[in-house]
Amino acid sequence: MSIVPLFLRSLLVTSFLSFLLPLAIVGAILTGFSLVGSLPYGSGLGRAGIGGTIDFLNTFGGGNPLEGLLTIGLTCSFVGSLFDAFASHRDRHFREH
């Protein structure tokens, strides 16, 4: 099998997983603050945590938290694919020498 389809498959999987990981982390953070907010004395901490997370996402999205989340996800996807391309090139270079 040619190296190009293997490389493209690896690049696609890496970029997809690198996109999903920040989304899952932010979702887990928001879920955690939501669960803390449902506790009897945790409502203030939960609201403050969710508000801070939304403000953080607003910073990267120009005022829209969804755009901020997509910006972070796309940036991580780009960096992950660059790292995969570098690691693939380095691995191929070491196999030849």
Side-chain angles (χ1 to χ4, degrees):
M1 187 171 207
S2 176
I3 193 77
V4 174
L6 293 175
F7 173 70
L8 290 178
R9 183 178 63 190
S10 172
L11 199 63
L12 182 67
V13 169
T14 301
S15 62
F16 181 69
L17 291 178
S18 296
F19 177 78
L20 287 182
L21 186 65
L23 272 62
I25 290 172
V26 170
I29 289 171
L30 289 174
T31 302
F33 281 130
S34 177
L35 291 175
V36 167
S38 67
L39 296 174
Y41 294 108
S43 63
L45 179 64
R47 273 186 268 140
I50 289 173
T53 306
I54 296 298
D55 288 342
F56 175 76
L57 293 175
N58 281 336
T59 301
F60 289 102
N64 188 349
L66 182 60
E67 286 181 13
L69 188 61
L70 290 176
T71 301
I72 291 171
L74 288 173
T75 303
C76 289
S77 175
F78 179 68
V79 170
S81 61
L82 283 177
F83 178 74
D84 186 49
F86 170 73
S88 174
H89 170 72
R90 186 175 172 145
D91 181 51
R92 190 172 47 232
H93 176 71
F94 282 141
R95 284 186 188 180
E96 291 174 358
H97 293 109

